[in-house]
Amino acid sequence: AFIGVGVPDPETARVFHQAGVMTQAGTFGATDVAATMPGGWEAYTPFLDAGADVLATDNVPAASIAIQRTTGR
């Protein structure tokens, strides 16, 4: 389920997860720009910490690193 653009509401993600539904959040352009800096993958961790399973982003390589390091997937 798409749960919005920006860091999602953790309660919204939790409700979907309880129903067995994965969630997707979109990132802002500023987040994608920040992710181009050294260590910039950390710009995506608030999205993942809030419960997003998938990120809609322009910077797939950095988002992939964030997912791997944050969730172990």
Side-chain angles (χ1 to χ4, degrees):
F2 185 75
I3 55 176
V5 175
V7 177
D9 174 46
E11 179 63 15
T12 301
R14 186 191 65 75
V15 169
F16 278 110
H17 289 157
Q18 282 185 330
V21 177
M22 293 183 73
T23 60
Q24 176 183 7
T27 65
F28 288 109
T31 303
D32 293 333
V33 170
T36 65
M37 305 300 169
W41 61 267
E42 293 177 341
Y44 297 115
T45 57
F47 294 80
L48 300 167
D49 290 344
D53 300 299
V54 176
L55 299 174
T57 179
D58 292 333
N59 192 335
V60 175
S64 176
I65 291 169
I67 291 168
Q68 290 171 5
R69 293 193 180 178
T70 304
T71 68
R73 289 187 252 154

